[in-house]
Amino acid sequence: MKKTTKAALAVTLLATMSAFGAAAPAAPGEKETLLKLYAQGGVVMHFLLLCSIAMVWLIIDIWMRTNRPKMTPPEDVATAQDRFRAGDYVGAYQAMKAAVSPFAEVVRAGLGSVGHGKDATEEALYSTVDKVNSTLQTRINYLSVIGVCAPMIGLLGTVAGMKGAFGSLGSDGLSSGVGELAGHIGEVLVATATGLLVAIPAFGAFYFLRNKLQGAIHNLQGESERLFRNAPYEYLQNTDVGQEETYAALPNWIDAPEG
């Protein structure tokens, strides 16, 4: 987690420096720096910096989470297949319980319901796959939120800066010169440009990672279904493979049968 955050911060700073260095040349006789451009954007630049860091962190994090070897680790698949071939469903459940991958979570849910028949097992598989998909899709949706909000934040800073620039024009008239007014307008547009620089890659990453996630989910579901395809449900009927503690009991107003 810390490595991902550091990488996000480093990539964000490098991208911002490169973009401003190419898009905003210095005025004649004046050396333009990144810090000056940042200051020209106003207070909203702090919020845009946070948005850019969050965007890069989300891209790196989701990219790693949606990799097929991360979603469906070959070692977990091989372990589950070996246990199923040996008929060791309890051992398969314990192995998947010790693993931390989405594949292990899906298989564990299926094994927990295998004693209730094929329909219950498939329902458990599909519901767990939907849960994994929903969790990752929520993270991806944050990129869309950043893509929508970043230009609006930049525009807010530009509007505030333009208000000050035209307020100065109203008090001083044109005595200060049109060139100085144009310079002020150019400065306040930094916030809008920064908002767009954040929004464009955020939207691009949103669509790319969304499609990448769907491919990984389809692979996860396919591997899980293949594992349970020929499960001997008739022999597993009413068995508790998971051997987890249960809390349901007869109502306390009913006498439990003796013996």
Side-chain angles (χ1 to χ4, degrees), residues 4 100 160:
T4 304
V100 293

Side-chain angles (χ1 to χ4, degrees), residues 3-233:
K3 291 182 179 179
T4 304
T5 305
K6 291 179 180 179
L9 181 58
V11 172
T12 302
L13 293 177
L14 288 174
T16 306
M17 291 174 67
S18 300
F20 278 129
E30 182 182 359
K31 184 177 180 181
E32 194 71 86
T33 64
L34 178 63
L35 291 178
K36 286 184 178 180
L37 285 171
Y38 188 89
Q40 288 171 6
V43 177
V44 297
M45 294 294 285
H46 302 318
F47 297 99
L48 291 174
L49 178 61
L50 292 176
C51 287
S52 61
I53 293 174
M55 175 193 68
V56 176
W57 181 83
L58 284 169
I59 291 174
I60 296 174
D61 180 66
I62 297 168
W63 176 274
M64 294 190 299
R65 288 176 181 269
T66 54
N67 282 334
R68 290 193 179 185
K70 185 76 172 180
M71 295 276 290
T72 314
E75 59 274 14
D76 289 352
V77 175
T79 299
Q81 290 175 348
D82 291 342
R83 297 289 193 276
F84 270 63
R85 289 192 189 100
D88 184 10
Y89 296 99
V90 175
Y93 183 91
Q94 296 301 325
M96 294 300 100
K97 186 177 181 180
V100 293
S101 65
F103 173 79
E105 183 180 354
V106 172
V107 174
R108 187 169 66 248
L111 287 170
S113 299
V114 76
H116 302 287
K118 182 178 180 179
D119 292 340
T121 302
E122 291 181 348
E123 183 179 352
L125 291 176
Y126 297 150
S127 64
T128 308
V129 169
D130 287 341
K131 176 185 175 183
V132 172
N133 181 46
S134 177
T135 300
L136 293 174
Q137 187 62 54
T138 299
R139 287 176 174 265
I140 294 176
N141 288 341
Y142 286 132
L143 289 172
S144 178
V145 174
I146 292 174
V148 171
C149 292
M152 298 175 68
I153 294 173
L155 183 60
L156 178 62
T158 297
V159 170
M162 291 287 285
K163 182 177 181 299
F166 283 108
S168 176
L169 177 64
S171 60
D172 299 339
L174 293 176
S175 59
S176 58
V178 178
E180 184 175 348
L181 175 62
H184 286 305
I185 294 176
E187 289 177 1
V188 299
L189 289 177
V190 170
T192 298
T194 305
L196 293 175
L197 284 173
V198 175
I200 293 172
F203 273 125
F206 167 76
Y207 289 108
F208 177 80
L209 292 174
R210 186 182 63 176
N211 295 336
K212 186 172 183 287
L213 171 62
Q214 292 310 307
I217 288 294
H218 290 157
N219 182 65
L220 170 63
Q221 183 169 325
E223 289 289 350
S224 303
E225 289 176 343
R226 190 157 65 94
L227 196 62
F228 285 88
R229 184 171 300 156
N230 296 319
Y233 293 104

